[in-house]
Amino acid sequence: MTSMSRARVARRIAAGAAYGGGGIGLVGAAAVGLLLAEVRLAKRQVGNGNGTSPHVPNAQGLYGLSYSVRGEPPLRLTMLGDSTAAGQGVHRSGQTPGALLASGLAAVAERPVDLHNVALPGARSDDLDRQVALVLADPGRLPDVCVIMIGANDVTHRMPPTRSVRHLSTAVRRLRTAGAEVVVGTCPDLGTVEQVQQPLRWLARRASRQLAAAQTIGTVEQGGRTVSLGDLLGPEFAANPRELFGPDNYHPSAEGYATAAMAVLPTVCAALGLWPAEEERPDVSRREGFLPVARAAAEAVAEPGTEVTAAMPTGPKGPWALLKRRKRRRVPEPGPVPAHHPSRSMER
């Protein structure tokens, strides 16, 4: 599918989400049925006979404690979404994406970071309503920045993409209204799951990319930022599946999560005004610049780690966005999570 046609499909899905439509499908029903059967077969292997657990390590707590001497209050980072946001597939809390992001953010900001996680393995976008309610329940602990990773379960459970994007857009709007910055890691590439064979692998990739592009439009229109995860992980997973997939062959390994965290961290820092000013200017040599939102969304899903953020509310073809191809930075190795975790435990 070309970038222009992907942009048209994404625009239709996002418009349907905004105006209450629900009939726009991703791929044919029969093909989707076969795809779901293969992906669900792969998922049933998670935690069965391979030494893995369906639970995730509790990574909540303070990171960057050495910066506490400065006297500044901790930045608050909250993770929302599904098993990818929770960190399912690894054994140590420091290997989860939340821990990696909190450690990296603390190093850049030179401030402690308080990590909270309400992500739920198996969640679909309609669970974001509940997760956001948890995040906003305590007005005294509102997050500075939220990272949402969601979408794979929407595809495998045949949630209409318009409904999926509607729930995500609502979540972003509620968090932004509360004063939090929001970064969304868009739908991962289900075509990288080894158990899914051709031609269903191609269909999985197509469905994932279409949803990711529509998620980008919905997020940016509500004042959030997105980072493409599908094509970031896709080629690397395909080339190194034993290294980047965990023991269950479905969730990322520690190295896979580190790859995703390295892609998301610069955008989290930029959202909080912590990234160098020279990094914020579009670099024409790297094909960065201002584009209509739908076109930026379509290009982002085809480029590893590409960021899309709102730029101009109106333009010749509607709202415009800034497309950035940020350089991937090595995330600092996280320190040990302190024993005194916040009283609220991770949702399972």
Side-chain angles (χ1 to χ4, degrees), residues 7-28:
R8 284 194 296 271
V9 172
R11 193 183 301 114
R12 289 171 55 211
I13 293 172
Y19 296 108
I24 300 175
L26 290 172
V27 292

Side-chain angles (χ1 to χ4, degrees), residues 212-306:
Q215 287 177 320
T216 298
I217 297 174
T219 298
V220 169
E221 289 181 345
Q222 299 302 326
R225 302 179 184 223
T226 63
V227 179
S228 170
L229 294 184
D231 282 323
L232 172 78
L233 299 177
E236 297 189 32
F237 273 40
N240 304 289
R242 295 293 180 264
E243 179 181 355
L244 294 177
F245 274 125
D248 58 32
N249 293 320
Y250 186 79
H251 293 97
S253 66
E255 184 64 26
Y257 280 129
T259 301
M262 280 190 290
V264 174
L265 178 60
T267 299
V268 170
C269 293
L272 294 171
L274 300 172
W275 218 234
E278 59 269 20
E279 284 281 335
E280 297 309 294
R281 291 190 291 269
D283 185 342
V284 177
S285 68
R286 300 176 64 198
R287 294 178 293 114
E288 297 180 345
F290 299 96
L291 296 168
V293 171
R295 183 178 166 193
E299 290 201 13
V301 300
E303 180 74 22
T306 302

Side-chain angles (χ1 to χ4, degrees), residues 6-49:
R6 188 180 296 119
R8 284 194 296 271
V9 172
R11 193 183 301 114
R12 289 171 55 211
I13 293 172
Y19 296 108
I24 300 175
L26 290 172
V27 292
V32 168
L34 290 172
L35 168 62
L36 298 183
E38 292 207 12
V39 172
R40 286 173 179 168
L41 178 62
K43 292 181 70 175
R44 278 199 295 271
Q45 297 179 9
V46 175
N48 294 332

Side-chain angles (χ1 to χ4, degrees), residues 22-224:
I24 300 175
L26 290 172
V27 292
V32 168
L34 290 172
L35 168 62
L36 298 183
E38 292 207 12
V39 172
R40 286 173 179 168
L41 178 62
K43 292 181 70 175
R44 278 199 295 271
Q45 297 179 9
V46 175
N48 294 332
N50 52 24
T52 64
S53 168
H55 301 294
V56 295
N58 187 352
Q60 297 190 129
L62 282 172
Y63 291 77
L65 291 175
S66 62
Y67 300 112
S68 299
V69 296
R70 296 172 176 265
E72 294 183 90
L75 289 169
R76 295 193 179 104
L77 166 65
T78 298
M79 302 291 295
L80 304 90
D82 55 23
S83 58
T84 304
Q88 185 173 351
V90 295
H91 298 290
R92 297 197 296 272
S93 59
Q95 297 172 329
T96 64
L100 292 164
L101 287 170
S103 177
L105 179 58
V108 173
E110 297 186 340
R111 287 174 62 179
V113 173
D114 186 3
L115 173 65
H116 184 47
N117 198 322
V118 296
L120 179 70
R124 287 164 275 178
S125 292
D126 54 5
D127 190 58
L128 290 176
D129 300 343
R130 181 192 64 83
Q131 294 184 28
V132 171
L134 288 174
V135 173
L136 302 181
D138 185 354
R141 294 182 58 84
L142 295 177
D144 295 293
V145 60
C146 295
V147 175
I148 304 174
M149 297 180 178
I150 199 86
N153 296 314
D154 297 17
V155 175
T156 60
H157 287 78
R158 302 180 68 176
M159 177 180 287
T162 50
R163 182 183 172 199
S164 175
V165 173
R166 187 181 307 125
H167 283 292
L168 176 59
S169 299
T170 299
V172 174
R173 181 172 64 250
R174 291 174 65 191
L175 294 170
R176 293 289 292 130
T177 299
E181 298 293 338
V182 180
V183 176
V184 175
T186 54
C187 182
D189 185 355
L190 291 176
T192 60
V193 178
E194 283 191 300
Q195 286 85 348
V196 178
Q197 303 300 317
Q198 294 288 15
L200 300 181
R201 185 184 295 269
W202 177 85
L203 292 172
R205 176 163 290 116
R206 181 184 178 189
S208 302
R209 290 185 178 185
Q210 287 181 357
L211 180 56
Q215 287 177 320
T216 298
I217 297 174
T219 298
V220 169
E221 289 181 345
Q222 299 302 326

